[in-house]
Short mmCIF file of all heavy atoms in Angstrom, two decimals:
data_model
loop_
_atom_site.label_atom_id
_atom_site.label_comp_id
_atom_site.label_asym_id
_atom_site.label_seq_id
_atom_site.Cartn_x
_atom_site.Cartn_y
_atom_site.Cartn_z
N GLU A 26 44.69 48.45 -87.26
CA GLU A 26 43.79 47.34 -86.90
C GLU A 26 42.44 47.82 -86.56
O GLU A 26 41.38 47.19 -86.78
CB GLU A 26 44.38 46.56 -85.71
CG GLU A 26 44.28 45.05 -85.82
CD GLU A 26 44.94 44.51 -84.60
OE1 GLU A 26 46.20 44.16 -84.71
OE2 GLU A 26 44.30 44.31 -83.62
N ALA A 27 42.43 49.04 -85.87
CA ALA A 27 41.13 49.58 -85.41
C ALA A 27 40.43 50.41 -86.48
O ALA A 27 39.42 51.09 -86.19
CB ALA A 27 41.43 50.50 -84.25
N GLY A 28 40.98 50.45 -87.72
CA GLY A 28 40.23 51.11 -88.84
C GLY A 28 40.71 52.49 -89.06
O GLY A 28 40.04 53.25 -89.84
N TRP A 29 41.74 52.98 -88.44
CA TRP A 29 42.32 54.30 -88.74
C TRP A 29 43.15 54.24 -90.00
O TRP A 29 43.69 53.16 -90.33
CB TRP A 29 43.16 54.80 -87.65
CG TRP A 29 42.53 55.27 -86.42
CD1 TRP A 29 41.74 54.50 -85.53
CD2 TRP A 29 42.47 56.58 -85.86
NE1 TRP A 29 41.26 55.33 -84.51
CE2 TRP A 29 41.72 56.60 -84.68
CE3 TRP A 29 43.05 57.80 -86.26
CZ2 TRP A 29 41.49 57.78 -83.89
CZ3 TRP A 29 42.86 58.94 -85.47
CH2 TRP A 29 42.14 58.88 -84.33
N ARG A 30 43.27 55.39 -90.65
CA ARG A 30 44.35 55.47 -91.73
C ARG A 30 45.50 56.09 -91.04
O ARG A 30 45.38 57.05 -90.19
CB ARG A 30 43.83 56.37 -92.81
CG ARG A 30 42.69 55.67 -93.62
CD ARG A 30 42.14 56.48 -94.71
NE ARG A 30 41.39 57.55 -94.16
CZ ARG A 30 40.99 58.63 -94.90
NH1 ARG A 30 41.27 58.71 -96.19
NH2 ARG A 30 40.33 59.62 -94.36
N VAL A 31 46.69 55.59 -91.30
CA VAL A 31 47.87 55.98 -90.51
C VAL A 31 49.07 56.38 -91.39
O VAL A 31 49.39 55.74 -92.40
CB VAL A 31 48.35 54.82 -89.59
CG1 VAL A 31 49.57 55.29 -88.77
CG2 VAL A 31 47.21 54.39 -88.63
N SER A 32 49.62 57.53 -91.02
CA SER A 32 50.77 58.03 -91.74
C SER A 32 51.96 57.87 -90.87
O SER A 32 52.05 58.48 -89.72
CB SER A 32 50.58 59.52 -92.11
OG SER A 32 51.72 59.99 -92.70
N LEU A 33 52.93 57.02 -91.21
CA LEU A 33 54.13 56.64 -90.37
C LEU A 33 55.28 57.63 -90.80
O LEU A 33 55.65 57.69 -91.92
CB LEU A 33 54.54 55.24 -90.63
CG LEU A 33 53.57 54.10 -90.11
CD1 LEU A 33 52.43 53.93 -91.06
CD2 LEU A 33 54.45 52.80 -90.01
N GLY A 34 55.76 58.34 -89.79
CA GLY A 34 56.90 59.19 -90.01
C GLY A 34 58.18 58.49 -89.57
O GLY A 34 58.34 58.30 -88.34
N VAL A 35 59.01 58.15 -90.51
CA VAL A 35 60.17 57.35 -90.13
C VAL A 35 61.48 57.90 -90.82
O VAL A 35 61.39 58.46 -91.96
CB VAL A 35 59.93 55.82 -90.60
CG1 VAL A 35 58.79 55.25 -89.75
CG2 VAL A 35 59.79 55.66 -92.03
N ARG A 36 62.58 57.65 -90.22
CA ARG A 36 63.83 58.16 -90.87
C ARG A 36 64.22 57.45 -92.13
O ARG A 36 64.80 58.08 -93.03
CB ARG A 36 64.99 57.99 -89.90
CG ARG A 36 64.96 59.13 -88.87
CD ARG A 36 66.31 59.20 -88.18
NE ARG A 36 66.45 58.10 -87.18
CZ ARG A 36 67.37 58.13 -86.22
NH1 ARG A 36 68.18 59.14 -86.14
NH2 ARG A 36 67.44 57.09 -85.35
N ASN A 37 63.94 56.11 -92.19
CA ASN A 37 64.30 55.33 -93.37
C ASN A 37 63.21 54.53 -93.91
O ASN A 37 63.00 53.31 -93.64
CB ASN A 37 65.48 54.36 -92.89
CG ASN A 37 66.64 55.07 -92.44
OD1 ASN A 37 67.35 55.76 -93.22
ND2 ASN A 37 66.90 55.05 -91.16
N PRO A 38 62.29 55.25 -94.69
CA PRO A 38 61.06 54.58 -95.19
C PRO A 38 61.40 53.31 -96.02
O PRO A 38 60.59 52.37 -96.00
CB PRO A 38 60.47 55.62 -96.14
CG PRO A 38 61.11 56.85 -95.80
CD PRO A 38 62.46 56.60 -95.20
N GLU A 39 62.58 53.25 -96.64
CA GLU A 39 62.89 52.05 -97.50
C GLU A 39 63.03 50.77 -96.68
O GLU A 39 63.08 49.71 -97.20
CB GLU A 39 64.16 52.40 -98.37
CG GLU A 39 65.47 52.51 -97.58
CD GLU A 39 65.62 53.79 -96.80
OE1 GLU A 39 64.79 54.67 -96.87
OE2 GLU A 39 66.61 53.89 -96.02
N ARG A 40 63.27 50.93 -95.31
CA ARG A 40 63.36 49.75 -94.52
C ARG A 40 62.07 49.13 -94.12
O ARG A 40 61.98 48.03 -93.55
CB ARG A 40 64.11 50.03 -93.23
CG ARG A 40 65.62 50.40 -93.49
CD ARG A 40 66.39 50.57 -92.24
NE ARG A 40 67.71 51.16 -92.49
CZ ARG A 40 68.41 51.78 -91.54
NH1 ARG A 40 67.97 51.87 -90.31
NH2 ARG A 40 69.58 52.34 -91.90
N LEU A 41 60.90 49.82 -94.42
CA LEU A 41 59.67 49.33 -94.07
C LEU A 41 58.92 48.85 -95.30
O LEU A 41 59.27 49.21 -96.43
CB LEU A 41 58.78 50.42 -93.40
CG LEU A 41 58.88 50.58 -91.91
CD1 LEU A 41 60.25 51.04 -91.47
CD2 LEU A 41 57.85 51.50 -91.34
N SER A 42 57.88 48.00 -95.16
CA SER A 42 57.14 47.68 -96.38
C SER A 42 56.44 48.90 -96.90
O SER A 42 56.08 49.80 -96.16
CB SER A 42 56.10 46.59 -96.14
OG SER A 42 55.40 46.84 -94.87
N PRO A 43 56.32 49.01 -98.22
CA PRO A 43 55.86 50.24 -98.84
C PRO A 43 54.49 50.64 -98.54
O PRO A 43 53.69 49.78 -98.04
CB PRO A 43 56.04 49.97 -100.37
CG PRO A 43 56.29 48.59 -100.53
CD PRO A 43 56.67 47.96 -99.21
N SER A 44 54.14 51.91 -98.74
CA SER A 44 52.79 52.42 -98.47
C SER A 44 51.77 51.60 -99.25
O SER A 44 52.05 51.16 -100.36
CB SER A 44 52.69 53.85 -98.94
OG SER A 44 53.57 54.71 -98.31
N ALA A 45 50.64 51.33 -98.64
CA ALA A 45 49.55 50.65 -99.32
C ALA A 45 48.29 50.83 -98.56
O ALA A 45 48.29 50.87 -97.28
CB ALA A 45 49.86 49.13 -99.36
#
Side-chain angles (χ1 to χ4, degrees):
E26 221 178 271
W29 284 66
R30 292 177 290 167
V31 180
S32 176
L33 290 77
V35 299
R36 278 196 287 197
N37 299 290
E39 69 287 352
R40 291 188 192 158
L41 271 69
S42 47
S44 302

